[in-house]
Amino acid sequence: MAFHQLISRARRTLLAAGATVALTAGVITGTAATSQAATQGPCDIYAAGGTPCVAAHSTTRSLYGSYGGALYQVKRATDGALKDIGVLSPGGYANAAAQDAFCAGTSCVITVLYDQSGKGNHLTQAPAGGAAGGPDNLANAAEAPVTVGGHRAYGVYVAPGTGYRNNHTNGIAVGDQPEGMYAVLDGTHYNGGCCFDYGNAETSNNDTGNGHMEAIYFGNIKVWGYGSGAGPWVMADLENGLFSGVNTRYNENDPSVSHRFLTAIVKGAPNQWAIRAGNAQAGGLSTYYSGPRPNAAGYNPMHKEGAIILGIGGDNSKGSAGTFYEGVMTSGYPSDTTENAVQANIAATGYSSAATETGTLSPGSRVSLRATTTCCNRDFLTHADADDKVTISPVDSASPPALKADATWIVRAGLANSSCLTFESLDKPGRFLRHYNFELRLGADDGGTPFAQDATFCPTAGNSGTGYSFQSVNYPTKYLRHYNYSVFVAGNGGSNSWDSTTNWGADTSWMVAQPWS
């Protein structure tokens, strides 16, 4: 199908569903035409329970039934212009179409997560700290697409090196004062780095001792503490320790979790704290721990300082990865009953993956890419599990499931240009197709501009007249090409062997096929 036909078909499909359509150089996005305002949000529920929100952050929706202000701010790469992204209506969902229009043809980062509580506890770029220099990277605004209540939205995609902070807060618990917090996270995006946190931290960006933090942690690091299974786990970062229960290190009652959308809760009061979690799409919460402070010196009483962090540790440790959609912090220790009502509100919100179709170049779709050269027209773009090199390999219905997964890609809006594309590995979430020294391989996003450019490709009509070709955004004369069964970005003539003019048009043309997995 020609590229303009693909766009026309998508336009007709979205219009038939009552949606508005934004088309930017072939990347297709859609948002539902109306927004239903919530009768109440999580912070209304907390307030009714006597533990009001003192910080409320979300890039996906209002957390109060009446909130109609900005959710977050983005900055455009081309000119540094800033734009606040608000909601479709008070109490409603993010106006993702405003971001799509503002960032079309370039990329954007999230510069501010606004506090909806009225306390002014906004999150901005984290500065340097005792563990790492700064300022930290800002999240690519298009890297975590999601659907919420049928509406397109974006989360905060934290690659290693990305972090947000506020050291000058208002109303956040200090010392041994009680507090609660929850976060809705992507339960499939994590790593073993320190530390993907959301919550209370030091105001100095330094490790000031045991008990000076109280934050939600999510990941599978085992250096300080861990639960049952292989992880990931919801734990509490209390500084100089990730705690999964009353004991240091192992606590068997803290299970590994695998929900695509995860509600994670940590709360603390004098000599009392708890970990709770559940599926953010359905069902209730489970209590993984509730009891006295850890069996270690310095945590009873606590010494909380009242800063807020997202994506980093209290001393700016920033080797972690994760995705954040929404979260709050409260004044006072919320009851389980209040938290159960908040969980019901979250589950009713309708979080779901952005993928709604397969076999097309629309962000969120799953595809396989087939070579068109006569020699290799049964071969598909695959990655090798052993070394992350990208090759072409024959795949058919009898192929092993692992090979089919290696040949399947999730289409994302381009990291360096949201009008182009980035391809995420299906079976290695968080790892993307990128070129390095002109050779294609999988790589984990480090949040930097070079990676974003190396991982962004602009679809064009096939150079051979068949299918599509994928132009490198930072080497616009070079296209995705297979050569001797390896894959490169290659020009039509040049000093490298893979720049050979022989079969260049066919080798750089690909058919977009239904995904193998």
Side-chain angles (χ1 to χ4, degrees), residues 87-453:
V87 291
L88 294 168
S89 63
Y93 304 99
N95 185 0
Q99 175 182 313
D100 292 338
F102 182 74
C103 302
T106 183
S107 62
C108 285
V109 293
I110 297 173
T111 49
V112 182
L113 280 77
Y114 289 112
D115 172 21
Q116 300 178 31
S117 77
K119 297 285 188 180
N121 292 321
H122 313 309
L123 292 174
T124 57
Q125 188 172 28
D136 294 355
N137 295 329
L138 295 167
N140 187 295
E143 200 163 354
V146 67
T147 299
V148 187
H151 299 259
R152 184 173 179 82
Y154 295 96
V156 183
Y157 188 98
V158 174
T162 302
Y164 295 83
R165 194 177 197 120
N166 185 335
N167 287 333
H168 306 286
T169 59
N170 177 22
I172 304 300
V174 296
D176 211 24
Q177 292 176 341
E179 67 177 349
M181 62 196 77
Y182 86 81
V184 175
L185 310 172
D186 180 344
T188 67
H189 183 209
Y190 60 90
N191 71 359
C194 181
C195 289
F196 183 70
D197 291 347
Y198 173 70
N200 195 321
E202 295 96 336
T203 57
S204 65
N205 312 319
N206 294 303
D207 178 351
T208 53
N210 295 4
H212 284 248
M213 289 182 61
E214 187 165 66
I216 296 166
Y217 164 81
F218 180 64
N220 66 345
I221 194 171
K222 297 180 70 174
V223 173
W224 296 279
Y226 57 99
S228 60
W233 305 280
V234 177
M235 296 191 284
D237 190 342
L238 305 180
E239 190 53 281
N240 295 321
L242 295 177
F243 290 93
S244 54
V246 70
N247 297 316
T248 58
R249 298 190 66 76
Y250 177 64
N251 290 277
E252 65 179 359
N253 291 326
D254 192 22
S256 299
V257 293
S258 59
H259 307 303
R260 169 61 178 84
F261 296 96
L262 170 70
T263 305
I265 289 175
V266 167
K267 55 183 175 180
N271 201 25
Q272 168 66 35
W273 70 288
I275 302 172
R276 307 185 77 206
N279 184 345
Q281 293 181 290
L285 296 168
S286 297
T287 300
Y288 299 155
Y289 175 77
S290 180
R293 290 291 183 179
N295 290 326
Y299 300 100
N300 184 30
M302 292 286 284
H303 313 280
K304 293 174 280 194
E305 297 187 25
I308 306 174
I309 54 174
L310 172 60
I312 53 175
D315 59 358
N316 198 41
S317 301
K318 55 181 180 179
S320 57
T323 298
F324 173 92
Y325 300 110
E326 63 177 74
V328 311
M329 300 177 67
T330 71
S331 175
Y333 190 86
S335 68
D336 287 0
T337 300
T338 295
E339 290 169 343
N340 292 343
V342 169
Q343 166 66 4
N345 178 277
I346 293 168
T349 297
Y351 276 100
S352 65
S353 298
T356 57
E357 57 182 317
T358 61
T360 72
L361 290 176
S362 54
S365 179
R366 286 179 293 118
V367 300
S368 292
L369 298 176
R370 180 172 63 82
T372 63
T373 314
T374 303
C375 69
C376 318
N377 58 17
R378 294 185 179 181
D379 290 0
F380 289 80
L381 189 75
T382 63
H383 68 82
D385 290 325
D387 59 9
D388 283 337
K389 293 289 183 70
V390 174
T391 62
I392 56 169
S393 301
V395 186
D396 58 30
S397 58
S399 296
L403 178 58
K404 291 179 178 179
D406 290 346
T408 302
W409 305 89
I410 302 172
V411 181
R412 301 298 189 196
L415 297 182
N417 183 334
S418 60
S419 299
C420 299
L421 303 173
T422 291
F423 296 95
E424 182 178 9
S425 169
L426 175 70
D427 58 339
K428 291 192 173 181
R431 299 181 72 81
F432 300 86
L433 188 70
R434 58 87 55 96
H435 64 82
Y436 183 80
N437 287 336
F438 304 112
E439 187 172 8
L440 270 292
R441 60 184 64 192
L442 285 189
D445 183 9
D446 61 8
T449 297
F451 181 93
Q453 291 180 335

